[in-house]
Amino acid sequence: MPNPSLPDFLSVAQDAQKRAIFVRLQLAGYKGHDESLKKIIIRPVLIKQKPNLSFTFQHKTRDIVKNFPLPDAWHAVSNALQNGFKVATLFTTDFDMAWPSGKKNKPTYTESPNLSHDHQKKRVIAAEGQAWLHALGITGADGKVLQSGQDKYKQINKFIELIAPIVADIKIPHVADMGSGKGYLTFAL
């Protein structure tokens, strides 16, 4: 495919993404108003089980990462290639392809990337099955932390993480709550 048009190149990239062979897309050769911007590296990710593209904007002294849902992501790629970026390289597990030349090469990558983006946070106190968290209004009846209880749940876990090594050495611990408030941390302890 010599010298593909931009829409043709983007069509190949979108097809690669749909077929799950898309590894990354690199935009380079930037000639625009932001002199610190060097390149953009785009990779597929799943966010809340929905496909997105993660853009890493590489500047001289920092990287900025932004995630876009697919239609918006492909629009952003097209916009970047029309407004400042002169070269794009598509990496897939089947082939690598450069734009604007259209040159295809053997693939750099042989395995599809790990799309996981949603990481399970490790918590000292699991929310599920904790009736006291539900009674305090931190979790719902289903055991999931409510949006309004996120900060308090994090605070409780951090408190237990810090205090657990101290309490572990005490043979028969006694707790005296001399604070004020609702006693969230005392319940946790």
Side-chain angles (χ1 to χ4, degrees), residues 12-181:
V12 170
Q14 289 173 336
D15 181 60
Q17 181 267 316
K18 288 175 188 169
R19 293 179 25 215
I21 63 169
F22 179 93
V23 177
R24 74 179 192 166
L25 177 62
Q26 182 172 302
L27 310 183
Y30 182 71
K31 304 285 186 228
H33 67 278
D34 186 349
E35 293 180 14
S36 72
L37 183 60
K38 296 298 173 196
K39 63 181 159 182
I40 302 174
I41 296 175
I42 303 157
R43 63 184 186 84
V45 293
L46 283 176
I47 298 177
K48 296 185 180 178
Q49 300 305 314
K50 293 184 180 167
N52 282 250
L53 292 181
S54 179
F55 286 55
T56 302
F57 297 86
Q58 293 187 339
H59 293 263
K60 283 182 182 175
T61 58
R62 71 190 190 294
D63 289 351
I64 299 171
V65 177
K66 293 182 180 179
N67 300 313
F68 296 96
L70 292 180
D72 296 339
W74 290 115
H75 178 73
V77 170
S78 176
N79 191 38
L81 289 172
Q82 292 176 45
N83 297 299
F85 285 93
K86 304 299 181 201
V87 179
T89 307
L90 172 65
F91 297 92
T92 74
T93 57
D94 288 354
F95 60 89
D96 292 352
M97 182 178 179
W99 179 82
S101 72
K103 184 177 178 186
K104 281 192 177 183
N105 295 316
K106 291 181 181 177
T108 302
Y109 300 95
T110 56
E111 294 182 16
S112 295
N114 181 352
L115 301 180
S116 66
H117 185 273
D118 300 334
H119 300 287
Q120 289 293 340
K121 292 183 173 68
K122 294 181 182 177
R123 300 285 189 205
V124 178
I125 297 175
E128 294 80 25
Q130 301 292 341
W132 62 275
L133 285 174
H134 179 61
L136 291 171
I138 295 173
T139 62
D142 59 358
K144 293 187 179 179
V145 180
L146 300 171
Q147 189 64 36
S148 61
Q150 292 288 336
D151 289 342
K152 187 53 74 176
Y153 181 62
K154 276 201 272 191
Q155 180 188 20
I156 289 169
N157 271 282
K158 189 63 176 176
F159 176 70
I160 296 301
E161 181 183 320
L162 293 172
I163 202 102
I166 297 166
V167 174
D169 292 339
I170 300 172
K171 302 254 188 268
I172 303 172
H174 296 278
V175 178
D177 183 354
M178 297 177 66
S180 60

